[in-house]
């Protein structure tokens, strides 16, 4: 049964939405998630220590700095600001879809794993994630 959820972001960072997926799961099968945007990503990541999300956000900010940084002077796609093309680069490096096994209505995630939207833009956005659940049998 396909569905879609909306996730509001207020700048760069990881936004956990694991709990919002549970109502869509009945039985066993495979949950597929796809983000309908080219400047955000999806991740399965640790959800126990918030420092993990902070460190990931900081790492990618250093890996792909804004277009105003001297190392990014070659960028030409900056129509929506200095975070525009860097956000597309980050989304090209990270997954835009996830497949998660489901058993008896529960995602088969590790003890400390959660599902996250990784926002790469600096201004707030309303992001849409498409869900598809393929049941076994």
């Amino acid at each position: 049964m396909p569905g879609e959820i909306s996730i509001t972001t207020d700048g760069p960072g990881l936004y956990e939405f694991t709990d919002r997926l549970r109502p869509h799961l009945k039985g066993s099968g495979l949950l597929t998630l796809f983000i309908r945007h080219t400047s955000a990503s999806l991740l399965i990541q640790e959800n126990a220590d918030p420092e993990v999300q902070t460190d990931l956000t900081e790492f990618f900010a250093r890996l792909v700095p804004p277009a105003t940084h001297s190392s990014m002077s070659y960028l030409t796609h900056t129509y929506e600001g200095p975070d525009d093309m860097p956000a597309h680069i980050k989304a090209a490096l990270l997954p835009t879809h996830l497949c998660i096994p489901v058993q008896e209505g529960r995602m088969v995630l590790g003890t400390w794993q959660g599902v996250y939207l990784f926002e790469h833009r600096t201004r707030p956005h309303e992001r849409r994630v498409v869900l598809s659940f393929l049941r076994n049998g």
Side-chain angles (χ1 to χ4, degrees), residues 38-39 77 80 83-93 120-121:
T38 59
S39 57
H77 179 77
E80 295 178 31
D83 68 327
D84 189 10
M85 189 60 209
H88 293 299
I89 294 169
K90 292 171 191 173
L93 295 172
H120 304 306
R121 299 298 305 268

Side-chain angles (χ1 to χ4, degrees), residues 70-84:
S70 61
S71 69
M72 303 300 275
S73 62
Y74 64 92
L75 295 178
T76 58
H77 179 77
T78 58
Y79 306 115
E80 295 178 31
D83 68 327
D84 189 10

Side-chain angles (χ1 to χ4, degrees), residues 17 33-35 40-44 95-98 116-118 129:
F17 64 103
L33 307 173
F34 175 76
I35 189 161
S41 307
L42 298 174
L43 292 178
I44 294 175
T96 55
H97 69 279
L98 300 172
Y116 291 86
L117 182 145
F118 196 168
V129 177

